[in-house]
Amino acid sequence: MALSTYVPYHHLLFLFILFLHAQPCPAAGGSWSVLLPSIGISAMHMQLLPNDRVVMYDRTDFGTSNISLPEGKCRPNSTDCSAHSVEYDVASNSVRPLMVLTNVWCSSGTLMRDGSLVQTGGFDDGYRVVRTYKSCDTCDWQEKPNGLSKSRWYASNHLLPDGRQIIIGGRKAFNYEFYPKMSATESTPSLPFLVETNDPQAENNLYPFVFLYPDGNVFIFANNRAILFDYSKNLVLKTYPTMPDGQPRNYPSTGSAVLLPLKIKGETVTEVEVLVCGGAPKGAFVNANKGIFDEALNTCGRITISDPNPQWSMETMPLARVMGDMLLLPNGNVLIINGASAGVAGWELGRNPVLSPVAYRPDNQVGSRFEVQNPSTIPRVYHSTTVLLRDGRVLVGGSNAHDKYEFKNVLYPTELSLETFSPSYLDSNSSGLRPKIILPVTNSRIQYGKQLVIVFTVSGIVDLSSVSVTMVAPSFNTHSFSMNQRLLVLDGGVASKILGQTRYQVVVRAPPSGNIAPSGNYLLFVVHKEIPSPGIWVQMQ
């Protein structure tokens, strides 16, 4: 007997109305590639260096890693002869083991103007240690015991216009300090804001989100609120409204944040915006420790911090996410990647990995800013990392939700692999629109406020009105926050064809000051119709 296909009219009407009101499903994009199945360690911290190498490390008390130190070396006063840091070479797709002497677990760092990574703090014997890594084929970590005035564990750092870095907070550290020190007796000023934002039993203000404001002060977001802070006078200049939902966004209820692209006009940046996304609801940390895994937050807050009366505007992500990373892409879009959809940061406290990144287009209208991307097959939960590479790919590594290396009989095994996500601007069908920079050559020095002529080629048809130039500061990434991350859209962008040649040029002006672009190394891109060129390294001075 045939089955009836009759559907009542009112059911059809309901389905038609539902169809009309359904949100359009965003098209997926991007592609994934595994670079190395194992780098020997789990990349808990990650920094791109200006020679296209990436330094990574986890912690010294995870146990024996899967990569040995060279030449039979062992850490002093230890039977552990394995490495807990490596340098990854993008060009050769290979790693070289490095030796850290003290525990770098949950530390922080900054790429300094000379291209060296200065990393601060950690755990136990590493609380007050300063470590420096200057890349070369045989170089290794150099450590300075007691280089810090206070213990720094879960702190945030930022490069300042004077070339020093500010180090803010950390567990039970309601203060800040600078490195290098101006004197041996330099003070460590208190920061009551960190006391005020500390939740009993949960904290929810570790790894605060810190951004350099274009006037040289710093914006600090912790838990669910923020201040504009004059660190030289230890003075709060402005207190911003609490995010409307009041939910915590910092470790262990870990969300992420970016300073949206700074568009330079003349000598200034007239609009400064911050975007904070994801996290976990109040009580989630306590619940997770009881085996109850609350759903992650699916909201973002966006605020124009330069407004006289700034207010948060809330947006809804297509995927809820805790422990996600937010990365600025060369075309000004934001990539939200890694993380889980339930629980919090901490040992065994996250559940349900979110495998699909999401692209956020800040210049689109509200309601059309998010686009879900193609998924990875590798869960990247607690202690996963990501950085932007010079060619526009996104490097992804790490993930270890355990207090040692665990590869079997656990929900999410320790992840040693390294992979890349290639945003859709790297698709082969965009190759005809992709610029290639001819001049200046890589490692050129750029002076503040000077005119800069960039010569480039494009194999296809060029829309001269759709060309811009961006500069990206390479960030130090750990625990879902990319420290020092900023993207500058340079003033000018007037493109033209060079007469009699198949080349083009675009004329821009370099950033006006160290408040907007602290002296140091940047990746410079030409962007054509949202398709970025491979970057070149430039030194801002």
Side-chain angles (χ1 to χ4, degrees):
M1 184 174 69
L3 293 174
S4 171
T5 57
Y6 171 74
V7 179
Y9 171 78
H10 64 278
H11 285 186
L12 289 172
L13 182 62
F14 171 77
L15 290 172
F16 179 69
I17 293 171
L18 191 65
F19 172 77
L20 288 178
H21 289 274
Q23 292 293 319
C25 183
S31 61
W32 290 86
S33 177
V34 175
L35 300 176
L36 293 170
S38 173
I39 60 171
I41 68 167
S42 188
M44 187 190 298
H45 312 75
M46 191 181 283
Q47 171 74 62
L48 175 67
L49 305 173
N51 59 354
D52 292 324
R53 297 179 183 181
V54 183
V55 65
M56 310 173 204
Y57 56 91
D58 50 23
R59 55 184 284 197
T60 58
D61 57 353
F62 261 163
T64 303
S65 77
N66 282 25
I67 183 170
S68 298
L69 288 166
E71 302 169 359
K73 291 180 182 177
C74 301
R75 283 193 301 118
N77 305 314
S78 172
T79 58
D80 185 1
C81 303
S82 66
H84 294 281
S85 178
V86 298
E87 183 181 56
Y88 171 70
D89 187 323
V90 176
S92 64
N93 192 35
S94 62
V95 294
R96 183 173 71 89
L98 304 174
M99 183 164 65
V100 285
L101 303 178
T102 51
N103 202 338
V104 288
W105 177 30
C106 300
S107 56
S108 48
T110 297
L111 187 70
M112 305 300 277
R113 58 174 58 164
D114 68 351
S116 64
L117 171 61
V118 173
Q119 180 273 338
T120 56
F123 179 66
D124 197 23
D125 63 350
Y127 277 136
R128 294 178 56 197
V129 177
V130 174
R131 306 166 192 84
T132 302
Y133 181 73
K134 179 75 171 177
S135 181
C136 73
D137 289 345
T138 58
C139 292
D140 214 330
W141 287 98
Q142 304 297 314
E143 304 205 5
K144 183 178 181 179
N146 300 319
L148 298 175
S149 302
K150 300 290 184 182
S151 297
R152 299 292 169 191
W153 191 30
Y154 301 93
S156 291
N157 300 19
H158 206 298
L159 186 64
L160 297 175
D162 66 2
R164 297 189 297 166
Q165 55 177 304
I166 188 170
I167 306 153
I168 298 176
R171 178 158 285 164
K172 298 180 181 178
F174 308 114
N175 47 54
Y176 63 98
E177 62 182 288
F178 305 92
Y179 191 86
K181 305 294 183 190
M182 301 289 275
S183 71
T185 59
E186 189 170 293
S187 66
T188 305
S190 64
L191 185 53
F193 175 70
L194 297 177
V195 178
E196 296 160 7
T197 53
N198 186 275
D199 285 346
Q201 298 183 288
E203 296 172 299
N204 284 334
N205 70 345
L206 300 180
Y207 281 122
F209 305 143
V210 179
F211 302 112
L212 181 68
Y213 194 79
D215 65 359
N217 295 304
V218 293
F219 172 90
I220 307 172
F221 181 101
N223 197 320
N224 55 18
R225 50 198 185 274
I227 58 172
L228 185 63
F229 187 63
D230 183 339
Y231 52 83
S232 63
K233 298 178 180 177
N234 191 22
L235 181 66
V236 175
L237 302 174
K238 182 181 287 188
T239 299
Y240 294 92
T242 300
M243 286 185 74
D245 61 6
Q247 300 288 10
R249 307 282 177 162
N250 292 87
Y251 185 96
S253 298
T254 303
S256 190
V258 291
L259 181 71
L260 289 176
L262 298 174
K263 299 174 181 178
I264 304 171
K265 297 296 180 185
E267 298 292 312
T268 62
V269 175
T270 57
E271 189 171 73
V272 185
E273 293 184 277
V274 168
L275 180 70
V276 180
C277 291
K282 292 177 181 178
F285 179 72
V286 173
N287 284 344
N289 278 281
K290 297 176 181 177
I292 303 167
F293 303 100
D294 294 333
E295 183 179 355
L297 301 177
N298 68 349
T299 53
C300 295
R302 180 167 169 172
I303 187 170
T304 304
I305 62 175
S306 53
D307 272 2
N309 182 32
Q311 299 295 323
W312 289 97
S313 173
M314 302 302 290
E315 301 181 47
T316 301
M317 297 187 290
L319 302 170
R321 196 179 304 251
V322 62
M323 296 179 285
D325 286 285
M326 295 173 68
L327 200 63
L328 291 167
L329 299 177
N331 60 5
N333 293 337
V334 181
L335 186 70
I336 307 171
I337 194 169
N338 299 335
S341 63
V344 296
W347 304 135
E348 323 295 342
L349 298 182
R351 292 293 185 275
N352 307 332
V354 182
L355 299 176
S356 294
V358 170
Y360 177 86
R361 291 174 164 76
D363 291 337
N364 281 14
Q365 294 295 313
V366 175
S368 62
R369 289 175 174 165
F370 294 100
E371 182 183 85
V372 177
Q373 306 295 288
N374 285 319
S376 173
T377 59
I378 302 173
R380 301 284 182 181
V381 288
Y382 188 41
H383 289 149
S384 56
T385 48
T386 184
V387 295
L388 176 71
L389 298 178
R390 183 174 59 83
D391 59 14
R393 291 179 299 163
V394 174
L395 186 68
V396 180
S399 186
N400 191 6
H402 321 290
D403 62 359
K404 51 187 177 294
Y405 298 112
E406 295 277 11
F407 302 106
K408 296 179 180 178
N409 302 319
V410 290
L411 201 54
Y412 310 116
T414 300
E415 190 56 62
L416 306 182
S417 68
L418 200 63
E419 61 182 334
T420 55
F421 175 74
S422 295
S424 57
Y425 55 63
L426 291 173
D427 291 351
S428 58
N429 58 13
S430 298
S431 60
L433 299 174
R434 186 169 301 119
K436 180 182 178 182
I437 297 173
I438 306 299
L439 293 171
V441 297
T442 195
N443 292 320
S444 293
R445 296 181 178 181
I446 296 177
Q447 294 184 324
Y448 288 112
K450 298 295 185 181
Q451 182 175 284
L452 181 62
V453 178
I454 300 167
V455 178
F456 64 97
T457 60
V458 177
S459 63
I461 298 173
V462 177
D463 180 354
L464 295 175
S465 65
S466 297
V467 175
S468 61
V469 179
T470 61
M471 285 173 54
V472 179
S475 51
F476 176 94
N477 177 262
T478 189
H479 289 77
S480 300
F481 183 50
S482 292
M483 303 175 197
N484 299 292
Q485 184 173 215
R486 70 203 290 110
L487 184 148
L488 311 170
V489 182
L490 301 190
D491 189 20
V494 179
S496 60
K497 187 173 183 180
I498 299 175
L499 197 63
Q501 297 187 30
T502 57
R503 296 181 174 186
Y504 302 85
Q505 71 177 27
V506 57
V507 181
V508 292
R509 192 164 297 280
S513 73
N515 288 343
I516 292 174
S519 177
N521 295 273
Y522 291 81
L523 287 168
L524 185 142
F525 299 89
V526 172
V527 181
H528 173 232
K529 300 186 77 169
E530 293 200 9
I531 310 296
S533 68
I536 63 168
W537 286 104
V538 296
Q539 297 174 19
M540 194 70 242
Q541 60 180 31

